[in-house]
Amino acid sequence: MIPRYSRQEMASLWSDVARYRRWRDVELAALEGMAEAGLAPKEALEDCRARAGDFTPQDAARIEEIERTTKHDVIAFLTFMEERIGPSARWLHLGMTSSDVLDTSLGLTMRDALDLILQGLTRAMAAVEKRAFEHKNTVMMGRSHGIHAEPITFGHKLAIWYDELSRGRARLEHAREAIAVGMISGAVGTFAHLPPSVEEHVCRKLGLHAEPASSQIIQRDRHAEFFSALALLGASIEKFAVEIRHLQRTEVREAEEPFTPGQKGSSAMPHKRNPILSENLTGLARLLRGYAVSALEDVALWHERDISHSSVERVIGPDATILADFMLHRFAGLMENLRVYPEQMAKNVELLGGVVNSQRILLELARKGMDRQAAYVIVQRNAMKMYEEGVGFRESLLKDADLLKMMTPEEINDCFSTGYHTRHVDDIFRRVFGRSE
């Protein structure tokens, strides 16, 4: 992923140096398991431990130089380890296949990447929760089809977002369990040259679960779940971003992204304050969905393995995790600094002269015994006068002879009282947050 959308902590997980460190850790853990099982001399293990060392960019360049000849990355790595360690290195990779190293180390990387993503999600959820309580009782217009429906509160809207992010967290945590697996089962996964105890030792030492049954690879439905969980998280962030973009529209202007000193909105129009953060999040979410599709395509491989998935994962592994991490922190910052305009929200609630109380009139007529469809006709014809003639809804109702046969003017006026639509916001907050204050 390009530096523009990368946070260093996440990007560093996918560096060449970090990859070779994990390969080293897998190989040494496997040799340790072999030594405990009496399959390799302990002296070789101690020598390999002492000489394996760390990796630098120069070491990575040397491995890549070897690979230009071998055309095989793991063999290039093992050749480098032989150069560094000496004769004892012949015990590394004993009875193993390349995927034992590649898939186990990938499980480590993806597990650690998810831990960082979960940290970002914690920050984002905290920001949404704080703003939700701040605006728990800030009344605004609820909309369906983009049209005024009935009043809600901005806090209610944000409680819905928080609840959705909670589901995203649950999916990520499940995906973490699914992906944090390793295998040291050899070619085609039969343990023909190493016993399962070595695999169990490696996984226990590295904090992974042993794959119950593997072919030459760990099965890619696990990886597809991982990328699908990221794509769903991205879709949720996109949903929130699209809403912010709508609320920032000039004609609405109920909320707005932060606009910092010195920031410019347009090269041509100095007055512009555009929702660039939200638009950026919308675009990045599209990439995450594409990566999920690619991961699903990787599930079906030939027989016990092929490597058609390998080229895909070299791209989508770093790109998807780096983007998800970046998106979460960008969204968290947006929410922490979001400008909210309660006065404009209140103004927009009154924009259509009270027609948003139409359901209250309808239900009151039904309670008084009027057929629902007949009541609907009365209420609708008065509401339409607001659209077509600019006549206030309450004013029109108070002059409707058919309505006045069923309701008194006082009862009609009562249907325009404030707080009716938002009276259960505390109940919603207790469900979502476990508290209302």
Side-chain angles (χ1 to χ4, degrees), residues 310-329:
S310 176
S311 55
V312 177
E313 290 170 359
R314 289 175 192 266
V315 174
I316 68 174
D319 279 15
T321 54
I322 289 171
L323 276 188
D325 176 68
F326 176 84
M327 290 176 69
L328 281 166
H329 285 277

Side-chain angles (χ1 to χ4, degrees), residues 221-291:
D221 64 293
R222 294 181 178 275
H223 303 70
E225 179 180 351
F226 177 96
F227 290 106
S228 295
L230 293 184
L232 278 167
L233 178 65
S236 293
I237 294 174
E238 179 185 15
K239 166 187 166 179
F240 310 150
V242 167
E243 180 68 12
I244 292 170
R245 290 166 62 189
H246 280 308
L247 295 179
Q248 187 164 335
R249 287 184 299 124
T250 303
E251 294 81 1
V252 179
R253 204 163 181 268
E254 295 178 355
E256 186 179 34
E257 290 184 2
F259 196 82
T260 57
Q263 184 174 340
K264 305 293 189 293
S266 167
S267 63
M269 297 170 283
H271 70 278
K272 294 297 293 296
R273 286 156 59 127
N274 300 324
I276 56 171
L277 301 178
S278 300
E279 289 172 338
N280 172 255
L281 292 171
T282 298
L284 297 182
R286 296 169 184 167
L287 288 171
L288 285 183
R289 286 195 289 277
Y291 299 145

Side-chain angles (χ1 to χ4, degrees), residues 106-258:
L106 181 59
L108 290 169
T109 306
M110 295 174 81
R111 177 202 66 189
D112 293 348
L114 258 190
D115 286 343
L116 287 178
I117 289 169
L118 286 166
Q119 290 177 21
L121 181 55
T122 296
R123 179 189 170 193
M125 292 178 70
V128 172
E129 180 177 14
K130 180 179 178 181
R131 301 312 297 272
F133 277 91
E134 180 183 344
H135 292 285
K136 185 182 74 170
N137 297 309
T138 301
V139 177
M140 68 179 297
M141 200 63 245
R143 299 170 174 92
S144 60
H145 305 274
I147 306 301
H148 284 202
E150 292 187 350
I152 62 171
T153 73
F154 190 51
H156 179 185
K157 185 186 292 287
L158 296 183
I160 293 171
W161 294 8
Y162 184 92
D163 192 45
E164 186 163 340
L165 289 173
S166 297
R167 293 192 296 277
R169 173 178 286 280
R171 283 189 290 265
L172 290 176
E173 289 172 346
H174 191 276
R176 187 188 186 283
E177 285 296 304
I179 202 63
V181 296
M183 54 168 272
I184 307 290
S185 55
V188 299
T190 61
F191 297 103
H193 306 288
L194 284 178
S197 62
V198 173
E199 177 183 86
E200 292 164 2
H201 175 87
V202 170
C203 292
R204 184 168 56 251
K205 184 176 182 66
L206 299 178
L208 301 174
H209 302 293
E211 178 74 296
S214 57
S215 59
Q216 195 159 328
I217 60 166
I218 289 172
Q219 303 309 294
R220 258 45 194 181
D221 64 293
R222 294 181 178 275
H223 303 70
E225 179 180 351
F226 177 96
F227 290 106
S228 295
L230 293 184
L232 278 167
L233 178 65
S236 293
I237 294 174
E238 179 185 15
K239 166 187 166 179
F240 310 150
V242 167
E243 180 68 12
I244 292 170
R245 290 166 62 189
H246 280 308
L247 295 179
Q248 187 164 335
R249 287 184 299 124
T250 303
E251 294 81 1
V252 179
R253 204 163 181 268
E254 295 178 355
E256 186 179 34
E257 290 184 2

